[in-house]
Amino acid sequence: MSAVTLVKTNFPLYTVNVLDTNHFIVAGGGGSAKTGVPNALQVFKLDYGSKAITAKKVHEHDSERKAIMNSAVHPKEKCLAVGKDEECHLLTVDIKLKTSVDKTKQDKSDDAEYEVSLLRSETSVKSLDKDNEGDFQKVVRFSNNGEHIVTGGSNGYVCIFKYPELSCVHEFKAHETDVDDLDIHPNGKRFVTVSRDTKAFVWKLEEGKREFELFYSGPNEDENEDSFRIRACRFLTNEKGETFLYTIQVPAKFDRQKPLPSFIVRWDCSKWIPQLSRDAGREPLTQMAVSDQGRYVAVGTASGSIAVYIAWNLTPLVSIQRVHNIFVTGLSFLPPSPALENAGKEFGLLTISADNSCKLVTLDNRKEFGIVWIIIGSVFLLYLTFLALSYFGFDV
């Protein structure tokens, strides 16, 4: 496993998304304060070279006075939903060359220019207290069919919008404080929200009504539901078509003298109960991602470390310490592709941080032995055992 720096920016990064097998975006900035740190969204093209995978910036979108802090990609259209303070903006991300570029050089020219245009913007997260200007959108998600956008805010509110008209179908206070994360079930009927108030709920999307509360008490008898809170959540559908909810549980209160571990938990989506958990160490987890084919779960930590687990049994696969200088702010797996396979990589994981860097974590393809070779090896081992026993005079 290795980690290489793909991108260094002049602003802190807070969100990363894969657009297709060859393009991804990063965004962030210094916010509205006049610090001289820009607010921007950048589009990069991946180059799967013979020796290394690199990235080249092909477009930069100036987000002016407001930093883009969260984003989501439409599953079917060339559209991004991004959070800028209390607003949710829609951006078209049409990866194409400008008409001024010679079409005969589209795939060869290093000077090719790409185009990303602003579609429109609407306010999606609102505070009931009109005088409170500190509220902001913390998370945004598209449903799998692309028909809904769900946002969560620092004021605990959730908004459900119909896409593309962006009409608000439901707006309600889901939590007492920040909605730290949310994710929508692949069937589009339910979504899950998690909060700093230690609560986690399952909601009916169409009705905007709460259906279940998620409880996790930890592995020890002396711990209770209030010992941990869910920091992030992701639905994952495996190769068998089974859907599970994965969450990262962190201590509700951090105690430097006696720190509790963080956990990765898999939930049964039919009963909404914990099905499997894995101790992920004493370092607080900050981010989570799942791979497209449902094989891997990745987590990032407060110290900038990265770990990847096998999804079906949560067995640790690989871990790299201090990939970033400070906490991880975003993770996103590259989709499986012939280019990634030809590069000899089992997976590619984009990871960003407020240290202004985007890095690529990869794992070389592991050698897998077929059943025939396993049988041959077993027979050969038995043969050597009989030889050894005969040599030492045992009657075999």
Side-chain angles (χ1 to χ4, degrees):
M1 188 176 186
S2 61
V4 297
T5 300
L6 284 182
V7 175
K8 286 291 291 185
T9 63
N10 59 344
F11 55 89
L13 300 177
Y14 294 110
T15 184
V16 57
N17 265 296
V18 173
L19 300 177
D20 55 40
T21 55
N22 295 316
H23 297 86
F24 68 93
I25 65 104
V26 296
S32 58
K34 296 180 180 180
T35 60
V37 180
N39 301 310
L41 177 148
Q42 296 180 345
V43 182
F44 290 87
K45 184 178 187 299
L46 288 165
D47 180 15
Y48 295 88
S50 58
K51 295 183 179 180
I53 301 174
T54 58
K56 177 187 176 182
K57 184 171 70 173
V58 296
H59 184 82
E60 179 165 338
H61 172 73
D62 183 3
S63 61
E64 301 175 342
R65 291 291 305 277
K66 295 180 179 181
I68 294 174
M69 303 296 289
N70 47 85
S71 61
V73 179
H74 193 284
K76 300 177 181 180
E77 300 180 12
K78 298 174 181 179
C79 178
L80 272 175
V82 301
K84 298 172 67 175
D85 290 353
E86 77 284 1
E87 299 172 349
C88 183
H89 292 248
L90 293 181
L91 300 175
T92 57
V93 187
D94 195 0
I95 306 299
K96 62 182 180 182
L97 292 170
K98 291 184 178 179
T99 54
S100 59
V101 178
D102 185 352
K103 292 183 179 181
T104 63
K105 301 179 181 179
Q106 283 189 7
D107 296 324
K108 299 179 181 179
S109 174
D110 290 335
D111 299 324
E113 296 182 49
Y114 289 74
E115 189 172 48
V116 178
S117 58
L118 177 67
L119 180 62
R120 63 178 180 270
S121 67
E122 296 287 343
T123 301
S124 69
V125 176
K126 309 168 187 176
S127 171
L128 291 181
D129 182 1
K130 301 301 181 182
D131 296 327
N132 187 355
E133 298 181 355
D135 293 330
F136 57 95
Q137 178 177 301
K138 292 199 68 174
V139 58
V140 59
R141 294 281 183 270
F142 277 102
S143 60
N144 262 16
N145 59 13
E147 295 180 0
H148 291 91
I149 298 174
V150 183
T151 66
S154 62
N155 57 1
Y157 272 78
V158 164
C159 293
I160 303 173
F161 291 89
K162 193 72 176 176
Y163 178 87
E165 59 269 25
L166 285 184
S167 58
C168 180
V169 293
H170 297 291
E171 180 181 6
F172 53 88
K173 190 170 180 63
H175 294 276
E176 293 302 316
T177 182
D178 306 43
V179 178
D180 276 337
D181 201 10
L182 67 85
D183 203 22
I184 304 174
H185 194 287
N187 65 18
K189 296 180 180 180
R190 295 180 175 87
F191 66 95
V192 171
T193 62
V194 302
S195 171
R196 200 175 296 271
D197 65 7
T198 74
K199 302 294 184 180
F201 300 120
V202 181
W203 305 83
K204 290 185 177 181
L205 191 144
E206 291 288 349
E207 295 88 342
K209 299 294 185 181
R210 194 171 83 187
E211 189 172 19
F212 302 104
E213 182 173 356
L214 302 181
F215 294 100
Y216 177 77
S217 59
N220 300 322
E221 294 182 358
D222 57 342
E223 296 165 351
N224 54 50
E225 294 90 6
D226 297 327
S227 298
F228 300 91
R229 66 180 179 90
I230 299 178
R231 175 62 182 83
C233 58
R234 293 291 182 275
F235 284 101
L236 177 151
T237 301
N238 62 23
E239 293 170 317
K240 297 179 180 179
E242 302 168 319
T243 298
F244 300 95
L245 175 69
Y246 286 79
T247 62
I248 52 177
Q249 250 78 7
V250 299
K253 296 180 180 179
F254 184 70
D255 186 350
R256 292 184 180 275
Q257 302 299 323
K258 190 180 178 182
L260 293 172
S262 293
F263 291 90
I264 304 173
V265 180
R266 186 179 74 189
W267 297 76
D268 181 339
C269 291
S270 62
K271 300 178 181 178
W272 299 106
I273 58 175
Q275 191 178 60
L276 182 66
S277 68
R278 169 69 64 176
D279 186 331
R282 258 55 180 180
E283 184 67 34
L285 303 179
T286 59
Q287 292 293 327
M288 181 185 203
V290 296
S291 64
D292 285 354
Q293 292 184 335
R295 295 179 180 177
Y296 311 109
V297 175
V299 295
T301 74
S303 66
S305 302
I306 300 295
V308 179
Y309 296 77
I310 297 173
W312 74 274
N313 60 3
L314 291 180
T315 297
L317 183 59
V318 281
S319 176
I320 302 182
Q321 300 298 310
R322 306 286 178 176
V323 173
H324 294 281
N325 297 329
I326 52 177
F327 55 92
V328 176
T329 56
L331 296 168
S332 185
F333 277 98
L334 295 178
S337 67
L340 192 62
E341 184 177 343
N342 292 337
K345 304 301 180 183
E346 190 164 321
F347 65 74
L349 175 69
L350 297 173
T351 170
I352 61 168
S353 170
D355 66 1
N356 297 17
S357 70
C358 173
K359 301 194 177 186
L360 176 64
V361 175
T362 59
L363 176 67
D364 292 339
N365 280 327
R366 295 170 292 168
K367 295 181 179 179
E368 297 183 0
F369 297 94
I371 186 65
V372 174
W373 287 106
I374 293 175
I375 293 173
I376 292 174
S378 300
V379 171
F380 184 68
L381 183 60
L382 285 173
Y383 173 72
L384 291 179
T385 302
F386 280 116
L387 281 181
L389 292 174
S390 299
Y391 179 79
F392 288 106
F394 291 95
D395 186 10
V396 294

